[in-house]
Amino acid sequence: MWMSVRLTAAILSMLFSATCFAGSLPAPTGDVILIISGNISHSNIAGTAQFDRAMLDALPQQHFTTTSPWTEGPHRYDGVLLKELLITVGAQSASVTLKALNDYHVTLELAPIADYPVLVAMKSDGKVMRVRDKGPLWLLYPMTDYPELDSQKNHLNMIWQLDRIEVE
């Protein structure tokens, strides 16, 4: 019995992942924490791609440990690569505008970071990031592994409390 429940859960997880790359995304069932709009070909609600935490957790997860100008010492961050998220929604663009809960926004050119594992982090040191801890989502560059990314320009792009991405 337990084995069949685990097998069913694994199959559902694979089907969900496959659906993310099909024409439309499943609708979120929990609180929406990220909305992607604009030039995308995969959507779920009114031409946008809306994600709850479970939907983001179902995407391939990555992690890295890095320092940042806003934290003390290195921390491990877990989440979805920005590149993977943009593929999931079928984004067709050379740039995106990232917006935070407080309407802070940056326009990010994708070509200069295409070869780096830029992360939309959901966890810091294994804990879900809350709004007061720069969450629920924080765009992070792996500056410890790639010191060339540690620049003032890139610091400005590492937007926390991320909740919207507009694909140009």
Side-chain angles (χ1 to χ4, degrees), residues 69-147:
W70 308 280
T71 58
E72 291 186 29
H75 294 274
R76 177 184 162 138
Y77 297 97
D78 294 87
V80 180
L81 293 179
L82 177 62
K83 183 184 323 186
E84 183 73 31
L85 195 52
L86 295 175
I87 289 169
T88 298
V89 299
Q92 302 293 320
S93 181
S95 66
V96 294
T97 298
L98 303 137
K99 297 180 181 180
L101 292 170
N102 67 357
D103 288 328
Y104 175 81
H105 61 279
V106 296
T107 298
L108 182 63
E109 298 297 323
L110 297 173
I113 61 167
D115 295 329
Y116 297 101
V118 175
L119 191 68
V120 177
M122 297 183 291
K123 293 180 182 176
S124 175
D125 297 326
K127 296 179 183 173
V128 171
M129 291 188 299
R130 301 171 302 168
V131 171
R132 73 163 101 189
D133 302 320
K134 299 186 176 24
L137 304 172
W138 186 4
L139 184 83
L140 284 162
Y141 290 35
M143 295 183 300
T144 300
D145 293 335
Y146 302 93

Side-chain angles (χ1 to χ4, degrees), residues 3-39:
M3 189 62 126
S4 65
V5 170
R6 288 177 52 194
L7 181 59
T8 301
I11 291 169
L12 287 173
S13 177
M14 288 187 293
L15 288 173
F16 175 79
S17 296
T19 302
C20 287
F21 294 98
S24 65
L25 300 171
T29 57
D31 293 337
V32 172
I33 62 171
L34 180 64
I35 298 173
I36 303 176
S37 59
N39 191 10

